[in-house]
Amino acid sequence: SGDVGIGTDNPISRLHIYGGEGTLCNVLIEGGDTTTNTPSVMTLKGSGTGAGIDTIFNIYGQKSDDTSSELAQINFGNYDSTPVGDDDNINDLARIGMIRSSTNNRGGHLVFSTKTSASMFERMRIENAGNVGIGTNNAAEILHVETSTGNAKLRVEAVADTEAGLLLFQNTGTSATSAEVGLDDTGD
C-alpha cells in the first residue's frame, strides 16, 4: 500500500509512528550545521489545482543567540508556481512565532503576524510578562492597542436589538466596585 510504519507493522496512514504503550512518542528533525545556525523545517502541503491553491503549513526552528528574530515559527501559506519575492515558491501568508526575550533562554514572546500583498507584519504580541500588544511590540500595559494610522478604536458590539455593547471595569478587592460603559438598545 506504500504506507510506512515506525514501531508498528500495521500502519494506517502514509506515515504512522507508534511509540508503544505508556511510551512518549517524540519526533525530532534537527539541522546538522551548528556554525551557521541552519534551520530545521517540517512542511505539510495539501495539493490542489492551479496557482495559489496548494496549502502549506510548516514548522520552523533555528538555533541562535538572537533576541530580535523569530527563532521558532508556525507558518501558514500556499505554494505558488509564480511567487512574488519568496523563496522555494512558498508564500507565507500568516505566522505564529517565538522571540526570545533575553539571552539566558528563560523567557519568550509569542508573536502573531499576517501578510499584506508583499510584506509580513507583526500584528499582536504576547510578551513574556503577560502583556498583550496589538499594533505594538512593546506593550506598556496588560492590553496595549496602538495604531500609526487613524484613531485607535475598540469595538464592542451586541448583535441582538435588546442587548447592550458594554465594557465592564471591575475591582474585585475588599472594596469591590465596578462600572460599565456602553450603549443599550435605547441609546442610553
Side-chain angles (χ1 to χ4, degrees), residues 58-61 69-75 92 95-98:
N58 69 41
I59 301 172
Y60 167 99
S69 299
E70 294 177 22
L71 302 178
Q73 301 171 358
I74 300 173
N75 296 297
D92 292 333
R95 172 171 58 226
I96 302 170
M98 182 279 298

Side-chain angles (χ1 to χ4, degrees), residues 38-105:
T38 303
S40 294
V41 179
M42 180 179 76
T43 300
L44 306 174
K45 178 181 174 216
S47 296
T49 58
I53 300 299
D54 296 349
T55 55
I56 297 289
F57 170 85
N58 69 41
I59 301 172
Y60 167 99
Q62 180 173 354
K63 179 182 176 184
S64 175
D65 293 330
D66 193 355
T67 58
S68 62
S69 299
E70 294 177 22
L71 302 178
Q73 301 171 358
I74 300 173
N75 296 297
F76 306 90
N78 63 15
Y79 179 87
D80 195 333
S81 59
T82 56
V84 179
D86 290 329
D87 295 333
D88 302 326
N89 296 50
I90 295 176
N91 294 314
D92 292 333
L93 303 177
R95 172 171 58 226
I96 302 170
M98 182 279 298
I99 298 176
R100 287 189 344 189
S101 59
S102 65
T103 56
N104 69 5
N105 295 324

